[in-house]
Amino acid sequence: MSGLFSLDGRKALVTGANTGIGQAIAVSLAGQGAEVVCAGRRTCDETVAMIEAAGGTASSLILDFADPLAARDTFTGAGYSILVNNAGIIRRADSVDYSEEDWDAVIDTNLKALFFTCKAFGKALIGTGRPGAIVNIASLLSFQGGIRVPAYTASKHGVAGVTKILANEWAPHRITVNAIAPGYIATNNTEALRDDPERSKAILERIPAGRWGEPSDIGGTAAFLASPAATYVTGAVINVDGGWLAR
């Protein structure tokens, strides 16, 4: 008998799956039995090898979301029922110095590509009457402002909004749409912060859990949201942050 959290027989696309949070999500989905297609602008061979070494099934797909419509032909007839939108970029500068080029690059990758990937996925499922699950990766900056990342903050606020509108529209089609807002996770993106003793200390003092998150913390949450256990969870933005937003 399949368990409530089993993903046996399901096929998932995870974007930005070559490292960090995306890699952990791909491994977690595969660990629950899903066939996982690991997408990125660079090869995801390392992630595929990790999944196969654990006895799972995975493959790699090149998708560069600098083109927001990169996934438009990915889903029709391909058997997907899970989509995780993790791919994203960040550009830092004071708002008074922020360039239009950086703004457009971040918004195109983090928000426009996410919406049109969801659209292609949803259209394919609705056309066949099959249920499915979308998990978008939002941010603490879906709730907060941050500093020196205006386009990133705007994009992640947008991810929360897109998640909710698609949940409203697609619930009748048995497609759940949720988002995860990671806190401070130990990945390459936070290495500079963790290597700065004063900044790291200040961050840890704010986190009730008293530790940096692990990518697997996000992977487990994504696997839950994609599973039969979460079929009545939709339109949620779940912060996985060790209590940061509760402080």
Side-chain angles (χ1 to χ4, degrees), residues 149-192:
V149 286
Y152 186 84
T153 298
S155 73
K156 293 302 183 178
H157 273 67
V159 168
V162 165
T163 296
K164 293 171 186 177
I165 189 173
L166 295 183
N168 291 340
E169 291 189 15
W170 293 349
H173 301 286
R174 297 181 298 154
I175 300 171
T176 60
V177 188
N178 294 290
I180 300 171
Y184 285 91
I185 309 297
T187 65
N188 293 340
N189 287 342
T190 60
E191 185 175 4

Side-chain angles (χ1 to χ4, degrees), residues 11-107:
K11 184 176 180 181
L13 179 75
V14 180
T15 72
N18 58 304
T19 188
I21 289 173
Q23 184 176 78
I25 290 172
V27 169
S28 293
L29 297 182
Q32 295 302 314
E35 173 191 348
V36 182
V37 178
C38 305
R41 59 184 174 181
R42 295 184 298 275
T43 178
C44 296
D45 289 349
E46 179 182 308
T47 306
V48 171
M50 291 170 65
I51 291 170
E52 291 180 340
T57 302
S59 58
S60 184
L61 176 66
I62 298 296
L63 287 176
D64 185 352
F65 289 105
D67 171 9
L69 301 181
R72 61 187 173 275
D73 300 320
T74 299
F75 302 105
T76 302
Y80 289 100
S81 64
I82 299 168
L83 168 63
V84 181
N85 286 303
N86 170 72
I89 62 173
I90 191 167
R91 303 276 176 88
R92 301 179 187 275
D94 291 340
S95 293
V96 294
D97 297 322
Y98 212 84
S99 70
E100 182 180 9
E101 179 184 3
D102 283 347
W103 177 274
D104 288 345
V106 172
I107 296 296

